[in-house]
Amino acid sequence: MHPLPLEIAPDIFYIGVLDPDIRTFDIVMHTANGSSYNAYLIQTSQGVIIVDTVKKEFQELFFNRIESLCDYAAIRYVIVHHIEPDHSGALPELIARAPHAKVLISPQATTMLKALTGSENIDFETIWTNKQLRLGNKTLTFLSTPYLHWPETMSSYVEEDKLLFSGDVFGAHYCDRRLFNDKVGDFWYAFEYYYDHIMRPFQSYVKSALKLYDRLDIQTIAPLHGPIIRENPSTYIEAYRQWSTKLERHKEGQKVLSIFYLTSYKNTQEMAQAIYEGAESVENIVTNIYDLASIEEQNMIRILEESDGFLIGTPTINADAPKPVWNLLSCLMFLDKQGKSAGAFGSYGWSGEAIDHILARLKALKLRVPPLEPMKIKLIPTEEELQRCFCYGVEFAEILNGKMIEIDLA
Ligand code: FEO
C-alpha cells in the first residue's frame, strides 16, 4: 500500500481521499467497495497548482495532505474541473486558506462557484479548450468536455508528463488504496457500470471529448473517481469509443421501431400487434415487439438505445399507467434521447388517462412525439379499430422514415 500523498508523476501528487464506506452514489448508483474523491497537487518552480478538491466531510484529510507538501501561501491556482459537491466540497475552505490562489473554472461554472462559496469576490478566471496555464516547469492545456457529467465539466492535459486530468470521464466508483490500474483489483465492471450510469446519456458529448483526447499522447489518465490509469490507457479510451458508438446492425437507412406493451386482458396486446404489423409493412423499418411484464431493466435500456423510435402500450388502472410502464420511462434517464421519436397507445376500461400521462411525460423528456391522434380504445378493439391501429403503425413508421410533419418540442 502507498502512503498518501503519493507522487503519481514527477512533481504531481495524489491528495485525494478514499471513501470505502459509501454504498450508494448520486441516489441511483451502487458500489460494493466504496469510491474515492481524487484530487491532485502539482509542484512547479513558480508555485503550486491544486487540481480539484474532495467531498466536504473529508476535507481535513485533504488539507493534511496539502500541508505535508506545501504552505497555503505557495498555492497559485486551483483548477476546478467539475463543480459537483463531491469534488468541490472543500473548495470554499481552500479558497479561505490560500490567499494567493486564483480559481480556474469553465464559464458555465461561474454562477455555481458563487452559489457554492456564497461570495461575489472570488478571484477566478475562466478556461476553455486550448487555453493554457504555464507555471514554472509545467504546462496545462484545458479541454472543454461539457456534460461529462455536468454542463460545466472540463479536462486538462499536462504537456510535460502526458497526463490527462479527465474529470469524471474514465472514472469508476471503486475504492482501492493501491490507486493505480495495474495494482488494484479487477475494476473493469465498475468502470463499465460508471459509464452506463454517468456517461451513457451524453454519448454525443463523449464522442466530442474523445476527438479532443485523440489529439493528445496520453500516458496517464487521472480521473476524479477510482483508479489512476497508467497501464494501457488506450484500452480504456477505446472502450469509451466503442460504448459511445451506436452499433450499425441494420442495413444503411433502416430505422428501428420498438413497441413495448403491458396488457391485462390481451386488448392492449392486440393493439400492439396490429400497430406492429402496420409498421412492419413500411419499407426500411425494423419493428420489434416486447411484453413489458417480462423484460429486465438492462435489456430495456439496450433496446431503447438501439431504437430510433418507440411506442408504449398501456392499460389504464386507477387512472394511471401501471408500474412497469413507469419503470420503462425511468430508464430514459440513462440514455441519449436526442432525435428519438415516441408515442403511446392502449385499451382502457373507464377513463384511459394513462395514455395522456405517458404522452405528457414523453414530451417533457423532449422526445419527438408526432401529433397523431391518440390511439385509445375502449375495452375490446373491434376489427375497424384494429385497422386504425394498423394505420397508426404505418403512419408512425413513415414519420420515422423521414416523412415531414410538424412536431411540437415545447
Ligand atoms: Fe464525481 Fe459528477 O461528480
Side-chain angles (χ1 to χ4, degrees):
M1 270 191 255
H2 305 295
L4 295 174
L6 171 76
E7 194 168 18
I8 63 163
D11 299 324
I12 301 180
F13 296 85
Y14 181 88
I15 54 166
V17 296
L18 305 178
D19 183 1
D21 297 325
I22 193 167
R23 290 290 174 272
T24 305
F25 214 99
D26 276 350
I27 305 167
V28 293
M29 294 181 73
H30 305 294
T31 166
N33 70 354
S35 189
S36 61
Y37 312 108
N38 299 343
Y40 306 91
L41 182 151
I42 306 175
Q43 273 174 337
T44 81
S45 50
Q46 290 181 1
V48 168
I49 304 166
I50 302 290
V51 179
D52 297 300
T53 75
V54 300
K55 211 174 189 176
K56 190 170 183 192
E57 66 195 88
F58 297 95
Q59 67 178 14
E60 282 316 313
L61 258 181
F62 168 74
F63 289 127
N64 290 345
R65 286 177 186 148
I66 293 177
E67 286 161 20
S68 72
L69 292 166
C70 72
D71 292 332
Y72 289 109
I75 300 173
R76 299 278 310 279
Y77 293 97
V78 177
I79 299 172
V80 179
H81 287 110
H82 184 21
I83 205 161
E84 191 167 2
D86 50 335
H87 309 296
S88 65
L91 183 64
E93 180 61 24
L94 178 61
I95 291 170
R97 293 188 187 197
H100 308 305
K102 184 190 283 279
V103 176
L104 301 181
I105 51 168
S106 69
Q108 297 92 324
T110 55
T111 51
M112 290 290 259
L113 180 66
K114 287 170 191 168
L116 181 79
T117 56
S119 169
E120 292 281 333
N121 298 316
I122 305 296
D123 182 11
F124 75 90
E125 195 177 312
T126 52
I127 47 177
W128 49 81
T129 298
N130 290 337
K131 202 164 171 180
Q132 286 193 322
L133 169 65
R134 284 203 182 89
L135 190 68
N137 52 330
K138 296 287 183 189
T139 313
L140 279 87
T141 301
F142 297 105
L143 306 160
S144 299
T145 46
Y147 292 96
L148 307 177
H149 119 260
W150 272 12
E152 92 303 354
T153 314
M154 300 289 300
S155 303
S156 63
Y157 179 71
V158 188
E159 305 284 341
E160 292 77 11
D161 305 293
K162 301 183 166 82
L163 183 146
L164 177 73
F165 292 117
S166 58
D168 271 351
V169 183
F170 305 123
H173 288 311
Y174 186 88
C175 184
D176 192 321
R177 278 190 67 87
R178 293 168 290 186
L179 285 185
F180 295 104
N181 70 319
D182 52 307
K183 299 279 188 201
V184 303
D186 185 358
F187 72 105
W188 189 263
Y189 79 92
F191 182 75
E192 188 166 359
Y193 179 80
Y194 187 90
Y195 179 91
D196 278 348
H197 287 77
I198 301 287
M199 300 294 156
R200 197 175 195 164
F202 305 107
Q203 308 237 29
S204 55
Y205 292 96
V206 171
K207 284 186 197 160
S208 303
L210 291 176
K211 278 188 193 147
L212 294 176
Y213 298 156
D214 282 345
R215 298 189 209 151
L216 309 171
D217 176 9
I218 297 170
Q219 286 185 1
T220 305
I221 300 171
L224 286 176
H225 294 289
I228 295 163
I229 299 164
R230 67 179 178 185
E231 188 167 279
N232 297 328
S234 60
T235 303
Y236 298 81
I237 295 169
E238 288 314 308
Y240 263 51
R241 199 182 315 283
Q242 191 189 330
W243 294 334
S244 63
T245 305
K246 192 177 168 189
L247 286 176
E248 293 301 340
R249 290 187 295 110
H250 301 289
K251 273 193 235 147
E252 203 179 324
Q254 278 189 324
K255 301 285 183 191
V256 178
L257 169 62
S258 296
I259 301 172
F260 300 90
Y261 70 89
L262 203 60
T263 197
S264 306
Y265 294 101
K266 295 197 182 298
N267 299 323
T268 301
Q269 183 180 8
E270 274 189 43
M271 291 177 70
Q273 191 61 35
I275 292 170
Y276 167 85
E277 281 160 20
E280 240 335 77
S281 71
V282 176
E283 213 175 327
N284 280 332
I285 295 289
V286 179
T287 316
N288 308 298
I289 188 163
Y290 305 100
D291 184 345
L292 268 177
S294 306
I295 188 161
E296 302 288 331
E297 186 178 300
Q298 269 312 310
N299 292 335
M300 284 183 202
I301 294 172
R302 284 176 202 278
I303 293 164
L304 286 167
E305 188 160 63
E306 290 297 309
S307 302
D308 299 288
F310 63 92
L311 292 167
I312 303 173
T314 178
T316 297
I317 296 177
N318 295 337
D320 205 350
K323 194 163 173 286
V325 172
W326 292 107
N327 288 348
L328 176 81
L329 289 166
S330 72
C331 289
L332 290 166
M333 76 182 281
F334 299 116
L335 292 171
D336 187 348
K337 297 175 276 296
Q338 244 178 6
K340 289 190 194 297
S341 300
F345 62 92
S347 144
Y348 63 96
W350 298 100
S351 46
E353 295 94 331
I355 294 111
D356 303 323
H357 295 330
I358 301 307
L359 287 172
R361 182 72 186 138
L362 294 170
K363 285 179 187 169
L365 290 171
K366 305 280 180 216
L367 285 140
R368 295 164 55 85
V369 178
L372 303 175
E373 192 185 331
M375 193 46 63
K376 293 158 82 167
I377 288 174
K378 193 159 175 72
L379 216 57
I380 301 167
T382 62
E383 277 310 310
E384 190 228 316
E385 286 168 331
L386 288 176
Q387 186 56 35
R388 271 179 49 218
C389 288
F390 182 94
C391 295
Y392 176 90
V394 170
E395 207 165 351
F396 194 92
E398 283 175 345
I399 290 166
L400 216 53
N401 242 347
K403 182 176 156 187
M404 298 297 283
I405 47 144
E406 263 189 40
I407 294 179
D408 179 11
L409 290 175

